[in-house]
Amino acid sequence: MAILKILEFPDPRLRNVAKPVTTVDETIKRLVADMFDTMKDAQGIGLAASQVDVHQRVIVMNLGDEDIGPRVFINPEIEVLDDSIDPYEEGCLSVPGFYEKVDRPAHVMIRALDAEGNAFEEEAQGLLAVCIQHEIDHLEGKLFVDYLSPFKRQRIRKKLEKIHRQNA
Ligand code: QAP
Ligand code: CO
């Protein structure tokens, strides 16, 4: 078990498109365990492998709800089920300290493999629907700041760059 380093915006490695997992083997299981450790340590609710510089289609989530506790999504796909939109104040472990409202489809069907490599599907709404879309975006090299105005995105980039310089 290990705590991995989380890449932060505007790190260009967050722009990589992740590759599908071919087999859920011991390496993937170790990655999943390390991602849970990393997410817990950082007090997150969702983490995509892209954020720890592993460009494979793996997501972990812990929404802290009894119904939807620790969850793993490998090679996830979503289908938008209707036109309803859920505006949600989003944050991201790769954009620490910033939260902004993002509009996303409210109601989706998720299809993925679980931690054992078994296919499942699940209808989602509320936080699960928002979070899975946010995390799948990471696998595509996309961040929630990409939905904001260029002005807001630039402001966040400058502030984080300043913090990174101070930490260096
Ligand atoms: C993605 O985000 C998400 O800025 C998961 O200082 C967030 O776990 C999906 C975090 C909201 C839907 C709604 C962010 C922790 C955690 C921070 C996270 C921070 C510390 C973010
Ligand atoms: Co994120």
Side-chain angles (χ1 to χ4, degrees):
M1 308 268 259
I3 292 167
L4 309 173
K5 197 175 123 55
I6 298 175
L7 302 178
E8 293 186 3
F9 177 67
D11 194 307
R13 290 172 289 182
L14 287 166
R15 299 309 186 175
N16 290 344
V17 178
K19 293 196 164 58
V21 170
T22 51
T23 47
V24 180
D25 57 13
E26 285 311 308
T27 308
I28 295 295
K29 289 179 184 177
R30 191 169 316 118
L31 171 66
V32 165
D34 289 347
M35 285 173 64
F36 272 117
D37 286 355
T38 304
M39 180 172 70
K40 185 162 193 244
D41 177 70
Q43 297 181 44
I45 58 168
L47 184 71
S50 314
Q51 293 175 274
V52 294
D53 204 21
V54 175
H55 302 285
Q56 301 212 56
R57 304 187 79 85
V58 177
I59 289 166
V60 299
M61 216 182 274
N62 194 341
L63 302 180
D65 187 295
E66 273 176 42
D67 300 341
I68 34 182
R71 300 291 308 270
V72 178
F73 302 89
I74 296 170
N75 299 341
E77 308 274 357
I78 58 159
E79 179 191 341
V80 176
L81 294 176
D82 58 49
D83 291 340
S84 56
I85 297 292
D86 192 7
Y88 207 96
E89 192 87 8
E90 295 190 18
C92 180
L93 290 171
S94 294
V95 191
F98 296 89
Y99 297 84
E100 295 286 349
K101 196 178 71 73
V102 177
D103 285 344
R104 299 188 189 268
H107 196 192
V108 300
M109 181 66 79
I110 307 170
R111 295 185 179 86
L113 304 179
D114 66 18
E116 259 62 62
N118 301 310
F120 69 96
E121 61 175 31
E122 175 174 0
E123 218 175 298
Q125 52 200 324
L127 186 56
L128 176 60
V130 174
C131 201
I132 192 73
Q133 293 176 78
H134 174 114
E135 302 306 335
I136 289 175
D137 274 355
H138 278 298
L139 303 180
E140 294 299 320
K142 192 162 182 170
L143 302 171
F144 85 91
V145 297
D146 299 346
Y147 296 100
L148 309 178
S149 69
F151 174 76
K152 275 192 178 175
R153 185 165 52 253
Q154 175 87 336
R155 200 166 47 111
I156 293 170
R157 185 166 70 80
K158 295 280 186 218
K159 286 185 179 175
L160 282 174
E161 280 173 341
K162 186 173 176 191
I163 291 166
H164 296 157
R165 272 199 305 278
Q166 285 166 344
N167 292 344

Tab-separated table of all heavy atoms in Angstrom, residues 46 51 91-94 134-135 138 143-144, ligand 2:
chain	number	residue	atom	x	y	z
A	46	GLY	N	-13.350	11.091	-5.047
A	46	GLY	CA	-13.143	10.397	-6.318
A	46	GLY	C	-11.739	10.650	-6.819
A	46	GLY	O	-11.180	11.720	-6.583
A	51	GLN	N	-4.707	11.025	-12.510
A	51	GLN	CA	-4.268	12.020	-11.527
A	51	GLN	C	-3.012	11.569	-10.776
A	51	GLN	O	-2.335	12.405	-10.174
A	51	GLN	CB	-5.386	12.303	-10.516
A	51	GLN	CG	-6.590	13.001	-11.135
A	51	GLN	CD	-7.700	13.152	-10.132
A	51	GLN	OE1	-8.507	12.245	-9.961
A	51	GLN	NE2	-7.732	14.274	-9.428
A	91	GLY	N	-15.118	20.266	-7.091
A	91	GLY	CA	-13.727	20.481	-6.738
A	91	GLY	C	-12.926	19.366	-7.357
A	91	GLY	O	-13.483	18.524	-8.077
A	92	CYS	N	-11.630	19.327	-7.110
A	92	CYS	CA	-10.787	18.287	-7.702
A	92	CYS	C	-9.473	18.232	-6.926
A	92	CYS	O	-8.902	19.289	-6.632
A	92	CYS	CB	-10.523	18.617	-9.173
A	92	CYS	SG	-9.497	17.392	-10.012
A	93	LEU	N	-9.017	17.022	-6.619
A	93	LEU	CA	-7.734	16.884	-5.912
A	93	LEU	C	-6.585	17.437	-6.743
A	93	LEU	O	-5.548	17.798	-6.181
A	93	LEU	CB	-7.486	15.408	-5.560
A	93	LEU	CG	-8.407	14.835	-4.476
A	93	LEU	CD1	-8.227	13.330	-4.370
A	93	LEU	CD2	-8.148	15.501	-3.127
A	94	SER	N	-6.770	17.546	-8.059
A	94	SER	CA	-5.729	18.096	-8.938
A	94	SER	C	-5.863	19.614	-9.107
A	94	SER	O	-5.049	20.222	-9.808
A	94	SER	CB	-5.781	17.414	-10.314
A	94	SER	OG	-5.428	16.056	-10.181
A	134	HIS	N	-17.144	13.505	-13.897
A	134	HIS	CA	-15.916	14.248	-13.580
A	134	HIS	C	-14.689	13.337	-13.728
A	134	HIS	O	-13.672	13.735	-14.315
A	134	HIS	CB	-16.048	14.791	-12.145
A	134	HIS	CG	-14.826	15.464	-11.603
A	134	HIS	ND1	-14.790	16.807	-11.315
A	134	HIS	CD2	-13.603	14.988	-11.280
A	134	HIS	CE1	-13.584	17.125	-10.859
A	134	HIS	NE2	-12.851	16.033	-10.812
A	135	GLU	N	-14.796	12.104	-13.227
A	135	GLU	CA	-13.649	11.183	-13.246
A	135	GLU	C	-13.387	10.635	-14.651
A	135	GLU	O	-12.223	10.472	-15.039
A	135	GLU	CB	-13.862	10.043	-12.237
A	135	GLU	CG	-14.071	10.468	-10.783
A	135	GLU	CD	-12.988	11.382	-10.228
A	135	GLU	OE1	-11.853	11.354	-10.735
A	135	GLU	OE2	-13.302	12.147	-9.289
A	138	HIS	N	-11.312	12.988	-16.525
A	138	HIS	CA	-9.868	12.852	-16.258
A	138	HIS	C	-9.236	11.828	-17.200
A	138	HIS	O	-8.127	12.032	-17.702
A	138	HIS	CB	-9.612	12.393	-14.817
A	138	HIS	CG	-9.639	13.477	-13.798
A	138	HIS	ND1	-8.755	14.533	-13.804
A	138	HIS	CD2	-10.435	13.669	-12.715
A	138	HIS	CE1	-9.005	15.326	-12.768
A	138	HIS	NE2	-10.029	14.822	-12.090
A	143	LEU	N	-10.406	18.427	-17.490
A	143	LEU	CA	-10.554	18.854	-16.094
A	143	LEU	C	-11.785	19.731	-15.944
A	143	LEU	O	-12.212	20.368	-16.924
A	143	LEU	CB	-9.325	19.662	-15.667
A	143	LEU	CG	-7.977	18.941	-15.783
A	143	LEU	CD1	-6.828	19.913	-15.540
A	143	LEU	CD2	-7.903	17.775	-14.806
A	144	PHE	N	-12.315	19.843	-14.728
A	144	PHE	CA	-13.532	20.653	-14.550
A	144	PHE	C	-13.279	22.118	-14.885
A	144	PHE	O	-14.201	22.818	-15.313
A	144	PHE	CB	-14.149	20.458	-13.155
A	144	PHE	CG	-13.588	21.325	-12.054
A	144	PHE	CD1	-14.144	22.562	-11.772
A	144	PHE	CD2	-12.515	20.904	-11.285
A	144	PHE	CE1	-13.638	23.369	-10.757
A	144	PHE	CE2	-12.004	21.696	-10.272
A	144	PHE	CZ	-12.560	22.942	-10.006
B	2	CO	CO	-10.821	15.594	-10.358
